[in-house]
Amino acid sequence: MEFKDYYKILAVTPEADSKAIKTAYRKLARKYHPDVSAHSEAEEKFKEVNEAYQVLKDTEKRAEYDELRQYAGQNQSTGGFQPPPGWQSSAGRQDSSHDADFSDFFSSIFGGAHRGQAGGFSQQGFNGKGQDIETDLPIFLEDTLANSTKNISYGLPHRDQQGRINQINKTLNVKIPAGVTDGERIRLKGQGEQGAGNAANGDLYLRIRLVPHPLFDVEAHNLVITVPLAPWEAALGAKIEVPTLSGKIKLSIPANSQTGQRMRIKGKGLVRKEGSGDLYAVLKVVMPTIINDGIRQYWQTLASEADFDPREEWSNS
Amino acid sequence: MQTSQPQYFSFEEICCATELPSRTIIEIIDHGIIEPEGASPDDWSFNIHMITVTKKACRLHNDLDIDWAGIALAISLLDELEQLRQENRELHRRLQRFMDGE
């Protein structure tokens, strides 16, 4: 077990007074709070900072920790930290049934701690209700058009007969209603952590994440597809095939179309309670990549015949 | 098979789902952090989004020691930030489709 330097975690000196510790904690807690931070390891960092603060803000715990810190400094060569033989905390020994949020290091010194003290994440209720679990559920756009069934698997804290908390994997078949949106949550009552004794289980919250599609972008309940066109298709007009989420359709491109122009295909967007959205085809004129002498000749004719200056606006400025 | 459905919750049910005392929920409503439908507590109706916002508000209140007015501001700014990030991601993706040779 690694010795945790709580002073280093809070970026304060071992001589720091309680006010300096509180300020340092507040600053880091704001920085790493998982509800606020976009940092990839926010939750882990927040737990670490919180654990450090729980010890250093408490005069008794801090004194015990300082004693151990000194002991660890003198016993570095033993490989990993172990509290001195017979160590028992007088400041923090508590029942060890709720110690999932603190590190093994903390538990080895102070025993378990109630989650109520451990910050907001994965708090077990005061009445022993199991903790709620929140997890992302990736959904393909195609699967939102009609009711679908998804097999999901998620980690759940489970207390074994010795009272230790392990992660177990749970699998469920979940019905996903048509028209779910990105960020929407689905609540499955009682599918979270098991409650203590006769208390209720926690709930499972599934946060819908729409998987980015290789062709379609989502704009509220509409879809957008970029449609590449040959220059002559844009100039002369064309009838082309365009994919939609539910099969291909024919689309008439009018003559003299421009890059960036949007064409609405009614009812081919995402499904919503208030009616289907639309699909927007955004035109993008692309140049052919292979040009032989014959083709170049056509372009040259076009260049001399067409009276067109694409930078006309510049000459006025 | 677990069926999910867009659920609506009464005042009592949201207290139970969030494990918060009714006075805390009322405080959160008074600050406009969530806005249930219905005129009085007996008629109030909450959706799942309001449950998750309430839980988030409480975490911020407890962990960062922010008062409810501050929480209301933080949550509306966080929502705006998330919306802008989402919009930015979408625009970036669409720009890529235009820039890349397809």
Side-chain angles (χ1 to χ4, degrees):
Chain A
M1 182 172 43
E2 203 186 330
F3 183 83
K4 277 184 181 280
D5 190 337
Y6 289 145
Y7 291 106
K8 204 169 162 188
I9 289 170
L10 289 185
V12 291
T13 61
E15 296 77 36
D17 63 13
S18 58
K19 191 166 172 280
I21 286 172
K22 192 172 186 176
T23 305
Y25 162 73
R26 281 181 167 171
K27 202 171 137 194
L28 289 169
R30 269 201 310 275
K31 184 174 173 189
Y32 290 121
H33 197 281
D35 283 319
V36 177
S37 173
H39 196 285
S40 57
E41 291 164 3
E43 189 160 349
E44 283 314 303
K45 289 262 187 198
F46 179 73
K47 278 182 182 167
E48 202 175 52
V49 164
N50 194 54
E51 180 178 309
Y53 184 57
Q54 293 308 320
V55 174
L56 299 187
K57 75 168 183 182
D58 183 313
T59 324
E60 244 183 288
K61 279 202 184 90
R62 185 177 175 185
E64 285 187 352
Y65 172 76
D66 285 344
E67 206 180 306
L68 282 176
R69 191 166 175 272
Q70 211 170 3
Y71 168 82
Q74 289 159 0
N75 296 273
Q76 273 171 345
S77 56
T78 51
F81 171 78
Q82 286 298 326
W87 167 267
Q88 192 166 358
S89 162
S90 56
R93 183 63 65 182
Q94 293 166 37
D95 81 87
S96 60
S97 57
H98 301 312
D99 57 357
D101 275 358
F102 287 134
S103 66
D104 290 346
F105 172 74
F106 180 98
S107 305
S108 75
I109 302 175
F110 299 109
H114 282 286
R115 287 216 187 89
Q117 296 179 325
F121 277 79
S122 61
Q123 273 188 12
Q124 190 159 28
F126 300 112
N127 55 10
K129 185 189 168 193
Q131 74 180 68
D132 293 343
I133 305 287
E134 186 160 328
T135 184
D136 280 354
L137 177 59
I139 299 277
F140 292 115
L141 292 183
E142 289 86 346
D143 292 341
T144 68
L145 295 182
N147 291 339
S148 60
T149 305
K150 221 43 194 167
N151 187 268
I152 61 154
S153 174
Y154 57 104
L156 202 57
H158 178 76
R159 204 184 314 277
D160 66 18
Q161 286 177 336
Q162 280 79 42
R164 286 165 189 260
I165 295 175
N166 306 307
Q167 280 279 49
I168 55 160
N169 260 341
K170 191 167 173 177
T171 309
L172 281 180
N173 269 329
V174 183
K175 195 176 158 194
I176 310 294
V180 285
T181 55
D182 195 54
E184 185 178 330
R185 284 172 174 82
I186 288 173
R187 176 178 181 253
L188 299 171
K189 200 177 172 190
Q191 296 296 343
E193 188 198 20
Q194 197 180 358
N198 291 328
N201 290 351
D203 305 320
L204 174 67
Y205 289 85
L206 299 172
R207 189 172 43 220
I208 302 290
R209 289 282 173 231
L210 294 181
V211 179
H213 195 281
L215 292 180
F216 304 104
D217 294 320
V218 178
E219 233 183 39
H221 60 310
N222 298 322
L223 291 173
V224 180
I225 185 169
T226 304
V227 180
L229 290 179
W232 46 90
E233 287 177 325
L236 306 172
K239 218 173 174 73
I240 60 165
E241 263 194 349
V242 174
T244 74
L245 272 187
S246 51
K248 289 181 174 170
I249 54 141
K250 291 268 184 203
L251 180 67
S252 291
I253 308 293
N256 294 319
S257 289
Q258 285 282 9
T259 285
Q261 213 167 306
R262 282 160 75 103
M263 298 178 67
R264 185 166 80 130
I265 303 159
K266 210 170 177 305
K268 290 293 180 184
L270 296 173
V271 170
R272 289 288 184 276
K273 276 183 232 88
E274 56 275 15
S276 287
D278 304 323
L279 170 65
Y280 284 92
V282 182
L283 307 183
K284 175 190 176 187
V285 178
V286 291
M287 292 297 292
T289 46
I290 300 167
I291 296 182
N292 57 32
D293 286 348
I295 302 285
R296 189 172 293 112
Q297 191 59 49
Y298 282 117
W299 285 115
Q300 262 161 9
T301 311
L302 187 61
S304 53
E305 294 278 326
D307 181 21
F308 175 52
D309 177 9
R311 292 167 298 280
E312 199 183 349
E313 281 182 17
W314 290 6
S315 52
N316 295 335
S317 59
Chain B
M1 169 77 69
Q2 296 295 318
T3 316
S4 57
Q5 59 280 318
Q7 288 173 30
Y8 290 91
F9 303 85
S10 67
F11 185 39
E12 198 182 328
E13 283 167 332
I14 194 176
C15 293
C16 189
T18 56
E19 292 184 90
L20 291 169
S22 55
R23 63 172 192 283
T24 307
I25 305 273
I26 288 173
E27 186 107 46
I28 288 171
I29 293 167
D30 284 347
H31 281 85
I33 297 170
I34 56 167
E35 293 171 296
E37 288 187 25
S40 66
D42 285 344
D43 304 326
W44 276 344
S45 161
F46 302 82
N47 59 28
I48 294 175
H49 178 68
M50 292 173 191
I51 292 186
T52 53
V53 171
T54 302
K55 288 169 70 174
K56 184 198 269 192
C58 270
R59 284 195 297 263
L60 292 171
H61 182 65
N62 295 333
D63 299 341
L64 302 184
D65 203 17
I66 310 177
D67 65 18
W68 292 114
I71 298 282
L73 177 67
I75 285 193
S76 83
L77 290 176
L78 283 172
D79 278 354
E80 203 176 317
L81 182 68
E82 181 49 39
Q83 252 174 37
L84 291 172
R85 278 192 179 136
Q86 177 71 17
E87 205 177 301
N88 191 33
R89 273 195 298 270
E90 282 167 15
L91 290 173
H92 191 74
R93 224 172 7 239
R94 284 172 54 192
L95 188 64
Q96 283 297 107
R97 293 192 197 276
F98 256 81
M99 304 303 284
D100 292 351
E102 283 186 344

